[in-house]
Amino acid sequence: SQQGEEDPQALSIQEGENATMNCSYKTSINNLQWYRQNSGRGLVHLILIRSNEREKHSGRLRVTLDTSKKSSSLLITASRAADTASYFCATDAGTGNQFYFGTGTSLTVIP
Amino acid sequence: SQTIHQWPATLVQPVGSPLSLECTVEGTSNPNLYWYRQAAGRGLQLLFYSVGIGQISSEVPQNLSASRPQDRQFILSSKKLLLSDSGFYLCAWSMGYEKLFFGSGTQLSVL
């Protein structure tokens, strides 16, 4: 079953702007991950944040996690046209080895 | 380094025909293996996962089945395809509780 839900479903921004995507989930988790998918391709892992962490950075990516609200956000700073893709959050729903994905946010970065 | 192979990339099958999609992983031992399905413009649905040879767990009741005859081989099958089986099928692997590595996917059209 779907564990997470991303918001917004679609986002269109100008190159250089920041993009923020949100993810809400339903159950307790051990970790939450963000993935990127280019059209018609497999997903690529971006960043993982553990349940005892509140914020994590990787390059132009910043992820926050609020376990009390069961929500996470992904911020992409100084966006580029090459960031155009769909972004998904995934959680393990506390299982440790099963990963459930959200519905995704489609990001378009206009050059 | 580890790699994952998934084939074929595209498949068109008539309703009622059988299905066999294969996925192999190289460069690692005893990975967790996963089959996901993605409907057009939607999130990923976990279909099957396996923690070892012959150990298959099903997430969604359907006319699909999975098998793991070897440590690094995961096969998705159906005896008779339905129209509703159309979608983008993704194989993935992980080591324990960390990130997933995805194959390039198979676009299945059932006509």
Side-chain angles (χ1 to χ4, degrees), chain A residues 1-88:
Chain A
S1 61
Q2 214 82 40
Q3 161 73 331
E5 188 169 321
E6 283 86 344
D7 167 55
Q9 289 188 347
L11 180 62
S12 183
I13 60 174
Q14 296 289 328
E15 201 165 32
E17 293 180 339
N18 295 340
T20 299
M21 289 158 262
N22 303 296
C23 167
S24 60
Y25 57 92
K26 300 174 184 176
T27 68
S28 61
I29 61 172
N30 292 308
N31 64 62
L32 184 143
Q33 305 176 42
W34 285 90
Y35 289 79
R36 166 194 167 126
Q37 183 183 33
N38 287 83
S39 181
R41 307 295 299 273
L43 281 74
V44 175
H45 182 267
L46 296 175
I47 194 166
L48 179 152
I49 186 166
R50 303 186 192 287
S51 60
N52 61 353
E53 298 176 311
R54 292 297 167 259
E55 188 171 313
K56 201 160 184 180
H57 297 256
S58 177
R60 294 185 295 115
L61 305 180
R62 172 178 170 255
V63 170
T64 62
L65 178 64
D66 187 335
T67 53
S68 66
K69 295 181 179 179
K70 291 187 171 59
S71 67
S72 173
S73 67
L74 171 67
L75 169 66
I76 304 174
T77 60
S79 64
R80 306 166 182 168
D83 294 329
T84 295
S86 291
Y87 292 82
F88 295 87

Side-chain angles (χ1 to χ4, degrees), chain A residues 1-2 31 33 35 37 40-45 48 50 88 90 92 95-104, chain B residues 32 34 36 38 41-46 49 51 59-60 88 90 94 96-105:
Chain A
S1 61
Q2 214 82 40
N31 64 62
Q33 305 176 42
Y35 289 79
Q37 183 183 33
R41 307 295 299 273
L43 281 74
V44 175
H45 182 267
L48 179 152
R50 303 186 192 287
F88 295 87
D92 70 338
T95 64
N97 60 5
Q98 300 155 45
F99 300 94
Y100 300 92
F101 284 78
T103 50
Chain B
N32 293 336
Y34 306 82
Y36 286 89
Q38 185 178 30
R42 303 293 300 276
L44 278 70
Q45 180 185 37
L46 178 61
Y49 69 95
V51 298
E59 283 290 305
V60 181
F88 191 50
L90 289 156
S94 75
Y97 313 112
E98 298 293 319
K99 59 186 178 182
L100 291 167
F101 297 90
F102 281 86
S104 53

